[in-house]
Amino acid sequence: MKKLSAVALFCAAALVATSCTRPSIEPVERKIMVIGIDGMEWDIMGPLLEEGRLPTFARVLSEGAWGELRSLDVLESPVIWTSIATGKLPEKHGIMGFAKKRPAGGQLVPVTSNVRRVEAIWDILGSKGWSIGIVGWLATWPAAPVNGYLVTDYFNYGWAPEQNSEEERVTFPPGLVADIEDLRVLAEDVDDERASALINGAVPEDGVLRKRFDSLKACIATDETSHSVALRLADQMPVDFYAVYLKGIDGVCHLYWVDMMPESGPPISDEEEAMFRDVIARYYEEMDGVLAGFIEMADENTTVVLTSDHGHSGPKPAGDSYRWGIAMHDPTGVLAFWGKDIAGGQELADASVLDITPTILALCGLPVAEDMDGSVLTEAIDRDFLRSHPVRTIETYEPEGGSEGGDDREPIESPIDDEVRERLRALGYIE
Ligand SMILES: [Zn+2]
């Protein structure tokens, strides 16, 4: 008894002592799982949630903290995903668009990772000893070394160089590419039966219907690749910080929006409308299943961040015609936090894509950098955790002079540039 109270007394004294100086922050034991879904839109999710067609999304929202997500002024995905990963505005992180014109020849080169000139959340956490796993995140090729593994977005394009040399770097570590190559699905690998799960009626034989049906396969292929790579690596190499990017929802919204809402664009045939009307809704249902798989992997120590980069709102009337591509992106996306130390059932009032990295840092018990443009979404975080781990700040995580570089970094050309450009063109992103 005596011994016990002596211990209690000592603890009380220690508590007083620390609170008199500064709060001591205990190291946080946590895993973070970021699930990035390009172009996810509340206006599409709302009715599907009401109809009970998205049970996993519904669970994440009811048990988690969620809200509208304010995107950037520039609604180009690599720009926004880089702001999500850095907490910084484009003029600081350096990635300003899908592609950059070569000054001499004027050729558009898809933007590449070397153009980013500030630390990403995975660089910061990795330097503090957190193990890292990244799959498919935009603008990560060529793969810079991380404290774990990184499968770049270029792996999806069917490029898996055997040597995966210093110049190629489709994955980090380089040897990883050989271990996951069997999981790569290309559009031509997707059979008609698989794609037909997303349409109404029989697989079209030829003509416009057939062409539009085949376009679906590219969306399916990239997501199936990233999904299966992410699941295998999560199983084989568990990490503390895990992020996966899925692009299919954005693709189907570009391709089948008008079939879903015929009054929103130029006239289409009755056959097209009948066949493709439900593609987007069914794709969301499939994504619900994908999300379920990730949620299943989350143990009691895991906090999940579910985010899009922007929403979708269809083609925009412009005189006698319509603007497609980036004009279809809506500045409001979807954000949700779920799992350990998240305030359940909390609606977030004013969340920005810039707040995601600061909030992850706070959840990891690390200070937020003053040179970041977002702030911690404290209403998403459990009160008890915030009390024991108050938000702290430091000046910067950048190495000295790190973010001071000029705007002159040029993207690196790759053997798949034509394919990347073709895909950007197909979605109306570049001319
Ligand atoms: Zn898009």
Side-chain angles (χ1 to χ4, degrees), residues 25-34 120-134 145-150 172 237-243 299 301-305 340-341 357-367 385 389 392 397:
I25 309 290
E26 279 174 45
V28 174
E29 262 207 44
R30 185 191 307 284
K31 287 183 223 161
I32 297 274
M33 184 190 285
V34 181
I121 180 70
W122 52 80
D123 301 318
I124 298 169
L125 292 177
S127 73
K128 307 280 176 203
W130 296 59
S131 55
I132 303 296
I134 313 286
V146 293
N147 185 30
Y149 63 84
L150 193 169
F172 179 88
M237 290 183 271
V239 290
D240 304 318
F241 177 87
Y242 174 83
D299 59 18
N301 223 2
T302 303
T303 306
V304 173
V305 183
K340 191 186 188 189
D341 293 324
T357 278
T359 305
I360 291 173
L361 286 169
L363 282 164
C364 294
L366 293 169
F385 180 81
H389 301 84
R392 297 171 297 154
Y397 282 103

Side-chain angles (χ1 to χ4, degrees), residues 252-263:
V252 294
C253 283
H254 282 290
L255 298 170
Y256 306 101
W257 188 277
V258 178
D259 305 281
M260 176 179 68
M261 286 185 211
E263 71 287 359

Side-chain angles (χ1 to χ4, degrees), residues 65 71 117 164 331 431:
S71 194
R117 50 169 188 262
N164 203 18
E431 298 280 296

